[in-house]
Amino acid sequence: MSDTEVSYVTAEMHKAKGVWGSSRTAYPITDTDIRRWAMATYYPERPPRVYWDTEYAKTTKYGGIIAPPDFNPFAWSLERPAAMARGLSGARPDGKPLTGMNGGQTDTYGVPMRPGDVISARSRLVDWEEREGRLGHTMYVRTEIEWRNQRDELVKTRMSIAIRY
Amino acid sequence: MSITFDEIEIGTKLPTWSRKTSFAEWNRYAAVNEEFVPFHMDDEAGRRAGNEQGAFGMGNLRYAYIVNALHDWIGDEGRVQEVGCQYRAINQKDDVLTVVGEVTDKSTIDGKNVVRLDVNVVNSSGEPTCPGHAVVEL
């Protein structure tokens, strides 16, 4: 424990705690988006055919190409997620910028994402914790994210931990 | 070939799944995930972020490796239901990352064959970097 009470928690975080933010919607998923994602995450090996071979994918129980569960349709969005707005990711009392790191996540998957799907997401701050760590005073923020497709089917829920120091 | 539910027992090991990671892998992942964070792209930025060895890999890419290892184990007819992990250590440049896992439970729920595993990603030194769990359906 430090002698001085340091906190990176902002008034904006207190206000947002537990409140679902506004929904944002990704651009429609294309088969090229899926193929590129699979190629990147399997590199240098060739990814499974269900991610890129239309004719093969028709023979699987999915009946067509699906995206890897971890596929992110929100990459290359023009709008930044509301959760990343200033103040919601914490702030140092001295005004210096915080460094952020990904502390981990648990994703629970619903229906798979497919070419043509349009995914919408909403998120909320769940809670946070601050303690002294290897990198000095550190804040751990838990955020819940929910993704649904254009049929309002649940695609994914994520509980993630952001580390700020 | 992918494994069947009947072949799985408590303690069954996930086949190891490895990748050597450096800028070739990180840049490809940055490109698809729009993850151009300076400490993943530049050694000096990595050192400024507290890693003396320079740039370091994305946690999300290690997560992807866990998903891929599970998919390759259960095949296209299986389904990854849940994956969770914590990023406990940094992935350094040229690390050989290996996904490891062990079955902790198997059950049939509402006609669905479900298997639970502990998973991790170990680095070249054999150190665990990413302890977690997974649930798959066969």
Side-chain angles (χ1 to χ4, degrees), chain A residues 36-37 40-45 48 50-51 56 59-62 69-70 72 74-77 80 99-110 165, chain B residues 17 19 24-25 28-29 31-34 36 39 49 56 60-61 63-65 67-68 71-72 76-87 90 133:
Chain A
R36 285 180 177 164
W37 182 278
T41 63
Y42 272 86
Y43 181 82
E45 304 292 331
V50 71
Y51 298 144
Y56 167 76
T59 70
T60 68
K61 73 175 184 181
Y62 297 107
D70 56 308
N72 176 18
F74 291 94
W76 299 102
S77 298
R80 309 312 306 169
T99 299
M101 288 181 69
N102 185 347
Q105 69 234 30
T106 294
D107 289 352
T108 305
Y109 299 108
Y165 61 95
Chain B
W17 195 101
R19 288 291 185 275
E25 291 74 23
R28 279 171 173 78
Y29 191 74
V32 294
N33 199 39
E34 199 191 358
F36 297 101
F39 53 55
F56 51 95
N60 286 328
L61 181 56
Y63 183 94
Y65 288 167
V67 170
N68 293 351
H71 181 98
D72 288 0
D76 293 338
E77 298 297 321
R79 191 174 84 89
V80 177
Q81 278 190 358
E82 181 173 299
V83 178
C85 66
Q86 294 183 336
Y87 303 111
I90 282 173
H133 74 279

Side-chain angles (χ1 to χ4, degrees), chain B residues 13-46:
Chain B
K13 306 276 193 200
L14 185 69
T16 55
W17 195 101
S18 294
R19 288 291 185 275
K20 182 177 180 179
T21 67
S22 188
F23 284 127
E25 291 74 23
W26 300 345
N27 289 351
R28 279 171 173 78
Y29 191 74
V32 294
N33 199 39
E34 199 191 358
E35 195 170 341
F36 297 101
V37 181
F39 53 55
H40 295 317
M41 319 298 296
D42 177 75
D43 284 334
E44 189 51 44

Side-chain angles (χ1 to χ4, degrees), chain A residues 7-55:
Chain A
S7 178
Y8 298 159
V9 177
T10 64
E12 290 91 339
M13 290 171 63
H14 281 290
K15 191 175 176 185
K17 185 177 181 180
V19 180
W20 286 108
S22 57
S23 178
R24 64 189 182 111
T25 301
Y27 290 97
I29 297 169
T30 71
D31 51 1
T32 292
D33 296 332
I34 293 172
R35 188 186 70 255
R36 285 180 177 164
W37 182 278
M39 289 178 70
T41 63
Y42 272 86
Y43 181 82
E45 304 292 331
R46 178 173 288 210
R49 292 168 67 190
V50 71
Y51 298 144
W52 55 270
D53 184 334
T54 303
E55 293 308 312

Side-chain angles (χ1 to χ4, degrees), chain B:
Chain B
M1 292 296 292
S2 50
I3 197 163
T4 65
F5 184 71
D6 290 340
E7 293 173 310
I8 294 172
E9 299 173 350
I10 308 295
T12 296
K13 306 276 193 200
L14 185 69
T16 55
W17 195 101
S18 294
R19 288 291 185 275
K20 182 177 180 179
T21 67
S22 188
F23 284 127
E25 291 74 23
W26 300 345
N27 289 351
R28 279 171 173 78
Y29 191 74
V32 294
N33 199 39
E34 199 191 358
E35 195 170 341
F36 297 101
V37 181
F39 53 55
H40 295 317
M41 319 298 296
D42 177 75
D43 284 334
E44 189 51 44
R47 281 188 276 273
R48 280 200 302 271
N51 182 43
E52 289 182 7
Q53 295 180 59
F56 51 95
M58 296 91 163
N60 286 328
L61 181 56
R62 272 181 282 166
Y63 183 94
Y65 288 167
I66 294 172
V67 170
N68 293 351
L70 293 167
H71 181 98
D72 288 0
W73 184 52
I74 62 179
D76 293 338
E77 298 297 321
R79 191 174 84 89
V80 177
Q81 278 190 358
E82 181 173 299
V83 178
C85 66
Q86 294 183 336
Y87 303 111
R88 296 274 183 85
I90 282 173
N91 157 210
Q92 301 289 358
K93 206 184 306 175
D94 294 326
D95 263 347
V96 176
L97 299 177
T98 301
V99 180
V100 296
E102 182 173 326
V103 173
T104 57
D105 191 29
K106 64 177 283 190
S107 57
T108 300
I109 303 169
D110 297 332
K112 295 180 178 176
N113 296 323
V114 176
V115 176
R116 188 178 179 90
L117 305 93
D118 285 341
V119 295
N120 211 322
V121 179
V122 299
N123 64 19
S124 304
S125 305
E127 297 162 340
T129 70
C130 197
H133 74 279
V135 181
V136 298
E137 181 185 326
L138 292 106

